Each structure stands twice: as C-alpha cells, then as structure tokens.
Coordinates of all heavy atoms in Angstrom, one line a residue:
S433 N -21.1 4.0 1.7 CA -20.6 4.0 0.3 C -19.7 2.8 0.1 O -19.8 2.2 -1.0 CB -19.9 5.3 0.0 OG -18.8 5.5 0.7
Q434 N -19.0 2.3 1.1 CA -18.1 1.1 0.9 C -19.0 0.0 0.7 O -18.8 -0.8 -0.3 CB -17.3 0.9 2.2 CG -16.4 -0.3 2.0 CD -16.0 -0.9 3.3 OE1 -16.6 -0.8 4.3 NE2 -14.8 -1.6 3.3
V435 N -20.0 -0.3 1.5 CA -20.9 -1.4 1.4 C -21.7 -1.4 0.1 O -21.8 -2.4 -0.6 CB -21.9 -1.4 2.7 CG1 -23.0 -2.5 2.4 CG2 -21.1 -1.7 4.0
I436 N -22.1 -0.2 -0.3 CA -22.9 -0.2 -1.5 C -22.0 -0.5 -2.7 O -22.4 -1.2 -3.6 CB -23.5 1.3 -1.7 CG1 -24.7 1.5 -0.7 CG2 -24.0 1.5 -3.1 CD1 -25.1 2.9 -0.6
T437 N -20.8 0.0 -2.7 CA -19.8 -0.3 -3.8 C -19.6 -1.8 -3.9 O -19.6 -2.4 -5.0 CB -18.5 0.5 -3.6 OG1 -18.8 1.9 -3.6 CG2 -17.5 0.1 -4.7
V438 N -19.2 -2.4 -2.8 CA -19.0 -3.8 -2.8 C -20.2 -4.6 -3.2 O -20.1 -5.5 -4.1 CB -18.5 -4.3 -1.4 CG1 -18.3 -5.8 -1.3 CG2 -17.1 -3.6 -1.1
C439 N -21.3 -4.3 -2.6 CA -22.6 -5.1 -3.0 C -22.9 -4.9 -4.4 O -23.4 -5.9 -5.1 CB -23.7 -4.6 -2.1 SG -23.6 -5.2 -0.4
Q440 N -22.8 -3.7 -5.0 CA -23.1 -3.5 -6.4 C -22.2 -4.3 -7.3 O -22.6 -4.9 -8.3 CB -23.1 -2.0 -6.7 CG -23.6 -1.7 -8.1 CD -25.1 -2.1 -8.3 OE1 -25.9 -1.6 -7.5 NE2 -25.4 -2.9 -9.3
D441 N -20.8 -4.3 -7.0 CA -19.9 -5.0 -7.8 C -20.2 -6.5 -7.8 O -20.2 -7.2 -8.8 CB -18.5 -4.8 -7.3 CG -17.9 -3.5 -7.6 OD1 -18.5 -2.7 -8.4 OD2 -16.8 -3.1 -7.1
I442 N -20.6 -7.0 -6.6 CA -20.9 -8.5 -6.4 C -22.1 -8.8 -7.2 O -22.2 -9.8 -7.9 CB -20.9 -8.9 -5.0 CG1 -19.5 -8.8 -4.4 CG2 -21.5 -10.3 -4.8 CD1 -19.4 -9.0 -2.9
A443 N -23.2 -7.9 -7.0 CA -24.5 -8.1 -7.7 C -24.3 -8.2 -9.3 O -24.8 -9.0 -9.9 CB -25.5 -7.1 -7.3
D444 N -23.5 -7.2 -9.7 CA -23.2 -7.1 -11.2 C -22.6 -8.4 -11.7 O -22.9 -9.0 -12.7 CB -22.4 -6.0 -11.5 CG -23.1 -4.6 -11.3 OD1 -24.3 -4.6 -11.2 OD2 -22.4 -3.6 -11.4
S445 N -21.6 -8.9 -10.9 CA -20.9 -10.2 -11.3 C -21.8 -11.3 -11.3 O -21.8 -12.2 -12.2 CB -19.7 -10.4 -10.4 OG -18.7 -9.4 -10.5
L446 N -22.6 -11.4 -10.2 CA -23.6 -12.5 -10.1 C -24.6 -12.5 -11.2 O -25.0 -13.5 -11.8 CB -24.3 -12.6 -8.7 CG -23.3 -12.8 -7.5 CD1 -24.1 -12.7 -6.3 CD2 -22.7 -14.2 -7.7
D447 N -25.1 -11.3 -11.6 CA -26.0 -11.1 -12.7 C -25.4 -11.6 -14.0 O -26.1 -12.1 -14.9 CB -26.4 -9.6 -12.9 CG -27.4 -9.2 -11.9 OD1 -27.9 -10.1 -11.1 OD2 -27.6 -8.0 -11.7
N448 N -24.1 -11.5 -14.2 CA -23.4 -12.0 -15.4 C -23.0 -13.5 -15.3 O -22.4 -14.0 -16.2 CB -22.1 -11.2 -15.6 CG -22.3 -9.8 -15.9 OD1 -23.3 -9.5 -16.5 ND2 -21.4 -8.9 -15.6
G449 N -23.4 -14.1 -14.2 CA -23.1 -15.6 -14.1 C -21.7 -15.8 -13.5 O -21.3 -17.0 -13.5
D450 N -21.1 -14.8 -13.0 CA -19.7 -15.0 -12.4 C -19.8 -15.3 -11.0 O -20.8 -15.1 -10.4 CB -18.9 -13.7 -12.6 CG -18.7 -13.3 -14.1 OD1 -18.5 -14.2 -14.9 OD2 -18.7 -12.0 -14.3
K451 N -18.7 -16.0 -10.5 CA -18.7 -16.3 -9.1 C -17.6 -15.4 -8.6 O -16.7 -15.0 -9.3 CB -18.3 -17.8 -8.9 CG -19.4 -18.7 -9.3 CD -19.2 -20.1 -9.0 CE -20.3 -20.9 -9.4 NZ -20.3 -22.3 -9.0
I452 N -17.6 -15.1 -7.2 CA -16.7 -14.2 -6.6 C -16.0 -14.9 -5.4 O -16.6 -15.5 -4.7 CB -17.5 -13.0 -6.0 CG1 -18.2 -12.2 -7.2 CG2 -16.6 -12.0 -5.3 CD1 -17.3 -11.3 -8.0
D453 N -14.7 -14.7 -5.3 CA -14.0 -15.0 -4.1 C -13.8 -13.7 -3.4 O -13.4 -12.6 -4.0 CB -12.6 -15.6 -4.5 CG -12.6 -17.0 -5.0 OD1 -13.6 -17.7 -4.6 OD2 -11.8 -17.4 -5.8
A454 N -14.0 -13.7 -2.1 CA -13.9 -12.5 -1.3 C -13.3 -12.8 0.1 O -13.4 -13.9 0.6 CB -15.3 -11.9 -1.1
I455 N -12.6 -11.7 0.6 CA -11.9 -11.8 1.9 C -12.3 -10.5 2.5 O -12.2 -9.4 2.0 CB -10.4 -11.9 1.8 CG1 -10.0 -13.2 1.0 CG2 -9.8 -11.9 3.2 CD1 -8.5 -13.1 0.7
I456 N -12.7 -10.6 3.8 CA -13.0 -9.4 4.6 C -12.1 -9.3 5.7 O -11.9 -10.3 6.5 CB -14.5 -9.5 5.1 CG1 -15.5 -9.5 3.9 CG2 -14.7 -8.2 6.0 CD1 -16.9 -9.7 4.3
I457 N -11.4 -8.2 5.9 CA -10.3 -8.1 6.9 C -10.6 -6.8 7.7 O -10.9 -5.8 7.3 CB -8.9 -7.9 6.2 CG1 -8.6 -9.1 5.3 CG2 -7.8 -7.7 7.3 CD1 -7.4 -8.9 4.4

C-alpha cells in the first residue's frame, strides 16, 4: 500500500506535466 500510494501520486503528477523531487530513506 505504501508503494501503490507513492507510485499513484507520482503518476498523477507526471500526467499533469509536473516534475517530482523525491528522497528515499
């Protein structure tokens, strides 16, 4: 569910033409 949430948020942003900065810790 963590991976799905993050991937969906990123996919939605990319679909809107946005770029994402991300850090994995």
Side-chain angles (χ1 to χ4, degrees):
S433 67
Q434 179 205 28
V435 170
I436 290 168
T437 299
V438 171
C439 288
Q440 188 62 57
D441 285 353
I442 291 172
D444 290 346
S445 292
L446 294 175
D447 286 347
N448 292 331
D450 299 323
K451 295 185 180 188
I452 300 282
D453 287 329
I455 301 169
I456 300 172
I457 301 170

